[in-house]
Amino acid sequence: MDEVSILLTLYSIVAGLGISRLVQGVAGMIEARDRLRLHWLHTAWLAIIFLAHVVSWFALMRFSKGAHWTVFNAIGALCMPIVLYLVSDLVVPRMVGDGRVDLRDYYYRNFRWFTGLMIAFIVLAIGVQMAVERQSDWADGGFLRILALVVLAMGFSSPRPAVQAFQTLALLSIGVAGAAFVSIKLM
């Protein structure tokens, strides 16, 4: 087993924990459905974070050959699923007690944390890519990362529902485009 395979395995374990947290949280929300007031922004963010986990894991595979790996590059790469785990845990409300949970209120109380952690994730991804490949990536997915950063910065700066709706729909589109792009690169 080479170094990249070991790193991919570690990355997979942490990403799996994040995805598991999302699934457990959704299961808890289903169990508490009578006490839950749904909101589409929150539901869409569950999908955005799931997409981020899967796309980032597949994107890391591109570094299997010809990459410059150091311990620091590996630590940076492993910080990416850790940040996604944090946002996975935060996006799912704790369903304790018997009180009602309004996911609209929950979303707006936490949206800056969601977007801030996603900004940190993308900055890490850009930094790791530049360190490992020793070049900028403007053609191969780099444009999508920059676009996501701009959209996230807009959403971070304004709690207005129209801005949050635009951000969420744009991030879903970027995530789907990223998944398509990574799929094409793997063929």
Side-chain angles (χ1 to χ4, degrees):
M1 183 178 262
D2 63 353
E3 296 85 4
V4 176
S5 296
I6 294 168
L7 179 64
L8 278 170
T9 301
L10 289 171
Y11 194 101
S12 299
I13 291 167
V14 179
L17 291 171
I19 292 170
S20 175
R21 180 64 193 116
L22 280 175
V23 173
Q24 288 173 343
V26 170
M29 290 166 48
I30 291 170
E31 286 178 7
R33 64 190 170 276
D34 296 336
R35 302 184 294 118
L36 203 59
R37 181 173 172 238
L38 296 175
H39 185 61
W40 77 271
L41 285 174
H42 180 268
T43 303
W45 267 84
L46 293 169
I48 289 166
I49 296 163
F50 177 77
L51 273 170
H53 275 291
V54 175
V55 170
S56 69
W57 183 76
F58 274 97
L60 190 66
M61 288 184 195
R62 78 186 232 184
F63 298 134
S64 61
K65 293 184 176 65
H68 176 73
W69 283 105
T70 67
V71 171
F72 298 109
N73 292 350
I75 290 169
L78 289 174
C79 284
M80 292 167 51
I82 291 170
V83 171
L84 284 177
Y85 177 89
L86 292 173
V87 74
S88 296
D89 189 58
L90 180 62
V91 77
V92 180
R94 301 288 189 258
M95 304 302 295
V96 295
D98 293 328
R100 294 195 57 79
V101 176
D102 185 334
L103 290 179
R104 182 182 192 286
D105 292 344
Y106 185 82
Y107 174 82
Y108 280 101
R109 190 170 52 252
N110 292 296
F111 81 91
R112 283 201 170 95
W113 280 99
F114 302 161
T115 55
L117 286 168
M118 290 302 285
I119 288 169
F121 166 73
I122 293 172
V123 168
L124 267 169
I126 291 169
V128 167
Q129 185 271 324
M130 289 177 69
V132 171
E133 291 189 337
R134 295 184 173 178
Q135 64 183 2
S136 298
D137 172 20
W138 296 107
D140 292 342
F143 174 74
L144 291 175
R145 287 190 204 114
I146 298 302
L147 184 59
L149 277 177
V150 170
V151 168
L152 285 163
M154 289 172 45
F156 185 86
S157 66
S158 175
R160 292 181 42 218
V163 173
Q164 292 301 309
F166 171 78
Q167 172 194 244
T168 301
L169 293 173
L171 289 174
L172 280 170
S173 299
I174 292 166
V176 169
F181 181 79
V182 169
S183 295
I184 290 168
K185 285 291 189 177
L186 292 175
M187 293 179 164

